[in-house]
Amino acid sequence: MNPSDLISEGSSLMLFGMGFVFLFLTLLVLVTSLMSKIIDRYFQEPAPSGASNRITVNSQPSSSNDQGELVAAISAAIKMHRTKKAQAEKRQ
């Protein structure tokens, strides 16, 4: 077997493998999309019936008291983190 035959066989094997992988991944995307559409169509979740089920997140505190509690909580978390970090450094 001469080198040009080996290069030819290697190239054909490479193209066959790359084509197979491309075909498989394309098929995988199509099947996954189809499954998603089927599940959305036949297995819909019921909408929440009341306002009590909703969770709302406000980006700003509603009063100055809430802001003070937020600052206190953040300060306590920072203090705890620094204390744990200092204790870990002492152990080493």
Side-chain angles (χ1 to χ4, degrees):
M1 214 175 220
N2 62 26
S4 63
D5 289 340
L6 287 175
I7 298 260
S8 174
E9 286 184 25
S11 298
S12 65
L13 182 62
M14 178 187 67
L15 290 175
F16 176 73
M18 289 175 67
F20 183 76
V21 168
F22 179 77
L23 182 66
F24 175 76
L25 291 176
T26 303
L27 184 64
L28 182 67
V29 167
L30 292 175
V31 169
T32 305
S33 299
L34 180 64
M35 283 185 351
S36 177
K37 288 179 183 176
I38 290 172
I39 288 174
D40 283 344
R41 184 172 181 182
Y42 293 111
F43 300 102
Q44 294 179 355
E45 291 185 22
S49 60
S52 62
N53 293 338
R54 292 186 192 164
I55 297 174
T56 58
V57 177
N58 295 332
S59 62
Q60 296 179 356
S62 60
S63 69
S64 62
N65 187 26
D66 289 342
Q67 181 132 10
E69 290 177 3
L70 180 64
V71 170
I74 292 173
S75 299
I78 291 172
K79 182 177 179 183
M80 185 183 298
H81 173 72
R82 288 180 178 166
T83 303
K84 285 184 180 180
K85 187 176 179 183
Q87 288 175 354
E89 288 176 356
K90 286 181 183 178
R91 287 186 215 151
Q92 293 177 355

